[in-house]
Amino acid sequence: MDTHQAKKDVTVGILALQGAFAEHQVALQKLSCQKKVVIVLVRVADDLARCDALIIPGGESTTIALLARLAGLLEPLRLFLKKKPVWGTCAGAILLAQAVENTKKGGQELLGGMSVTVARNGWGSQVESFEAPLLVDGLRDPDQSFTGVFIRAPVVLSLSPSPEDPPLEIIARLPAGLLPRSQTLVSPDEDDTDPRDPRTIVAIRQGRHMLTTFHPELTKDSRFHEYFVRACVLPSLSP
Amino acid sequence: MSTPVSTTPSAPPAANGPSGTAAVPPRSSQRDGGNSSLGTFGVKSGLAQMLKGGVIMDVVNAEQARIAEEAGACAVMALERVPADIRAEGGVSRMSDPAMIKSIVDAVTIPVMAKVRIGHFVEAQILQSIGIDYIDESEVLTPADEEHHINKHNFKVPFVCGARNLGEALRRISEGAAFIRTKGEAGTGNVVEAVRHQRSVMSEIRKASVMNEEELYAYAKDIQAPFHLLKEAARLKRLPVVNFAAGGIATPADAALMMQLGCDGVFVGSGIFHSGDPAKRARAIVQAVTHFNNPKVLAEVSEDLGAPMVGLTIDSNLKGGRLASRGW
């Protein structure tokens, strides 16, 4: 990998320890953008060293964190986050958060990188998993809704930006009134239609990092992948 | 047979997930005024996609479930007796006590699955009502119906089913299964049947993938599979849903073997908690599934695992009989 080639290509890694990494690969292969996207499945630190950006897929965050530790990837990943763009979907979003609630007993290892606090399985068990149409301004064809697939998805509890960090930019929210009533998260008589409620946030950008609590890789719609490459990855390449 | 669940059956899967940019099919809305859709085929098969590259472990109590979670299991299967004990003890084997399943749900954060008898849709209604994440309509339990499987489209909770060959897998998918596993021969610690079933599925798909439509119609009749699902599998060159290995997996090498044969992940039943050092073996199998193509890592994780479970030869004297032949 010499630097001459790196000017024409952009190398996007997908953390391939466990979960839906193959689906991200398919979505990236379909992209057409100004640079050729080279895809690397990241299982060891040497794979990560070749990447200009990284996607952490959905899966089980406890399993992915354990496998990352056993593969000696935790510290390389934390260093990577300080320099290069990373996008986490669902389990990946949990790993990018600075704090997590509803963790397994004894807590869980995180990578950090984004100033948000999330709750795992914020909607409840699998029978509460759902699809919902999202209107997202930053995407190509913003009038066309994006099908958000939420599977035992995490919920954003709070944003805690500090002055040193890049600002948090909310990319997408759930339509009002979709927060589940059955959970302890929202009490039955609480008004959950407040447009500023952090729990309706489902996609956020902070600097070059992005998290989505849903799974764009489970749809055939690659607009979020296109957005990540266009808004986070390509700008990070130029000096 | 009808179940008191209001979701409509979804169309069988297209490619690998929900229907892309197309409008979400109309479904029971979660709340008045809301327009989200619960229990779509997309979220059912989607959870299986999130489990890929992972290990699902059989556990019989909350303590074992915690060991499995710490070892990196991507889900646990809650049951009262592991298959090796079902074989040894005999008798009718049924759905586990909901209180015991709930204690496991409370103990861990990863998805919890539980088994129901083939065709026993009331056991499935019970498990759905306690909020289980996945149901295994399993040949390991004593079948409740010798002709019909559960109509799995009627449920919001997703189902995984066993299959020995392509026809059986596609019949289960047409009934609504969002996830397929090989049957193998559960509780034997002998991987030979799981290998046979996975090789059979893959070889039949390869055969179908070079057929023209006329040949596919004839082949669909031959293997008793719905034509549209056969055509989809032939086009994708794989099953249209996630496909795990199960039945007889006892070592990291067994798990990696099944992955190299094209499985998306593995179930380990008796192999972990019937071995000498369950926590260590569980972790080794988890690593073996991630690094299945890396013999160096496989060698490292296979070292000093203690005694594996005692394996059984699969022949006509097999205690408890052949479980894989259950299912129609």
Side-chain angles (χ1 to χ4, degrees):
Chain A
M1 294 301 287
D2 58 309
T3 46
H4 297 291
Q5 201 189 350
K7 284 186 179 149
K8 271 185 286 169
D9 298 348
V10 53
T11 305
V12 179
I14 305 168
L15 193 64
L17 297 171
Q18 191 270 324
F21 48 86
E23 287 77 358
H24 275 293
Q25 194 176 3
V26 170
L28 283 179
Q29 279 162 350
K30 284 194 306 192
L31 283 190
S32 57
C33 63
Q34 41 196 130
K35 288 190 186 238
K36 183 169 170 263
V37 177
V38 177
I39 302 165
V40 174
L41 292 180
V42 175
R43 292 196 172 90
V44 293
D46 288 350
D47 300 332
L48 188 64
R50 296 165 54 200
C51 300
D52 299 314
L54 183 73
I55 297 175
I56 306 179
E60 276 308 312
S61 58
T62 52
T63 305
I64 295 173
L66 177 81
L67 284 163
R69 180 156 61 75
L70 294 175
L73 269 169
L74 277 184
E75 281 316 308
L77 282 169
R78 287 184 179 126
L79 285 174
F80 191 91
L81 269 158
K82 294 203 169 84
K83 293 180 291 193
K84 294 179 178 174
V86 179
W87 171 22
T89 56
C90 196
I94 294 168
L95 293 172
L96 289 183
Q98 67 178 23
V100 174
E101 295 187 5
N102 300 355
T103 58
K104 69 181 173 71
K105 293 189 177 74
Q108 109 176 56
E109 279 170 308
L110 302 173
L111 300 172
M114 292 184 72
S115 318
V116 297
T117 301
V118 301
R120 288 187 64 194
N121 301 349
W123 307 99
S125 77
Q126 171 63 15
V127 290
E128 308 294 336
S129 291
F130 63 98
E131 293 178 24
L134 306 170
L135 285 170
V136 189
D137 278 339
L139 296 186
R140 202 181 57 224
D141 308 327
D143 298 339
Q144 207 178 8
S145 70
F146 191 97
T147 304
V149 183
F150 294 83
I151 296 173
R152 289 169 46 92
V155 167
V156 175
L157 294 178
S158 63
L159 309 179
S160 41
S162 80
E164 304 95 77
D165 296 330
L168 286 154
E169 185 191 332
I170 293 162
I171 306 172
R173 283 183 187 268
L174 267 183
L178 278 187
L179 286 174
R181 294 271 158 171
S182 55
Q183 296 300 304
T184 47
L185 198 66
V186 184
S187 60
D189 50 353
E190 191 182 333
D191 174 26
D192 64 352
T193 54
D194 179 355
R196 290 159 306 166
D197 189 334
R199 294 168 301 188
T200 61
I201 299 172
V202 294
I204 315 175
R205 209 178 114 188
Q206 183 174 28
R208 302 289 176 225
H209 300 328
M210 179 165 99
L211 69 77
T212 54
T213 61
F214 55 97
H215 294 284
E217 75 280 14
L218 291 187
T219 66
K220 289 184 185 138
D221 189 341
S222 56
R223 284 181 293 160
F224 260 96
H225 290 80
E226 194 259 350
Y227 177 88
F228 177 61
V229 172
R230 172 167 49 85
C232 300
V233 182
L234 295 181
S236 76
L237 299 176
S238 42
Chain B
M1 135 187 132
S2 72
T3 48
V5 181
S6 61
T7 49
T8 47
S10 79
N16 253 334
S19 43
T21 52
V24 180
R27 286 186 171 273
S28 57
S29 40
Q30 188 175 5
R31 293 239 317 272
D32 289 339
N35 53 355
S36 66
S37 325
L38 290 167
T40 61
F41 198 84
V43 301
K44 290 174 170 182
S45 61
L47 178 56
Q49 286 170 279
M50 294 309 131
L51 299 174
K52 287 196 303 183
V55 182
I56 300 168
M57 305 181 189
D58 278 7
V59 297
V60 301
N61 55 42
E63 186 199 345
Q64 288 189 353
R66 287 284 303 126
I67 293 173
E69 182 176 47
E70 288 300 326
C74 66
V76 291
M77 175 78 70
L79 70 180
E80 256 155 20
R81 296 182 290 172
V82 295
D85 296 330
I86 291 174
R87 260 183 203 292
E89 292 163 25
V92 172
S93 202
R94 312 180 181 92
M95 177 188 81
S96 302
D97 181 344
M100 168 269 184
I101 296 172
K102 280 197 273 188
S103 75
I104 289 176
V105 171
D106 291 340
V108 295
T109 60
I110 53 181
V112 178
M113 305 186 170
K115 289 182 193 287
V116 300
R117 287 179 265 177
I118 289 173
H120 206 315
F121 51 89
V122 173
E123 286 185 346
Q125 290 163 7
I126 292 170
L127 290 184
Q128 174 168 273
S129 79
I130 64 171
I132 208 81
D133 295 303
Y134 237 99
I135 291 179
D136 184 3
E137 187 183 18
S138 177
E139 70 283 359
V140 170
L141 305 185
T142 313
D145 189 322
E146 295 200 328
E147 202 170 344
H148 310 97
H149 282 252
I150 296 172
N151 179 356
K152 294 166 273 284
H153 291 296
N154 284 340
F155 290 81
K156 276 193 296 183
V157 63
F159 283 75
V160 56
C161 288
R164 286 163 297 176
N165 50 51
L166 181 58
E168 196 171 5
L170 297 180
R171 287 197 295 280
R172 296 295 85 80
I173 296 168
S174 84
E175 293 157 4
F179 184 3
I180 292 293
R181 55 174 175 77
T182 64
K183 283 184 168 172
E185 198 52 76
T188 60
N190 188 340
V191 79
V192 65
E193 291 298 312
V195 169
R196 190 193 318 281
H197 300 159
Q198 179 61 15
R199 281 202 180 272
S200 151
V201 168
M202 294 310 290
S203 120
E204 287 165 318
I205 290 174
R206 274 190 291 272
K207 233 188 280 175
S209 71
V210 295
M211 287 182 181
N212 65 20
E213 294 231 334
E214 290 88 339
E215 290 165 332
L216 278 177
Y217 281 115
Y219 194 49
K221 185 187 85 178
D222 202 29
I223 64 171
Q224 298 174 53
F227 171 75
H228 70 287
L229 289 176
L230 176 62
K231 193 176 165 191
E232 184 68 2
R235 185 180 71 81
L236 296 168
K237 297 192 170 60
R238 56 158 294 143
L239 286 179
V241 300
V242 171
N243 174 31
F244 270 41
I249 290 145
T251 67
D254 288 350
L257 171 70
M258 297 311 298
M259 294 297 288
Q260 290 198 24
L261 286 173
C263 290
D264 297 314
V266 303
F267 284 85
V268 187
S270 323
I272 289 173
F273 289 99
H274 268 253
S275 73
D277 187 345
K280 195 166 179 191
R281 182 166 295 265
R283 179 168 296 197
I285 293 176
V286 168
Q287 287 178 275
V289 168
T290 295
H291 302 283
F292 69 91
N293 257 335
N294 188 338
K296 206 167 135 258
V297 176
L298 295 177
E300 282 165 26
V301 303
S302 298
E303 279 182 17
D304 293 325
L305 291 183
M309 75 176 280
V310 179
L312 302 174
T313 317
I314 298 169
D315 57 21
S316 52
N317 299 323
L318 178 63
K319 187 161 168 48
R322 289 194 173 212
L323 306 179
S325 61
R326 297 164 167 179
W328 357 103

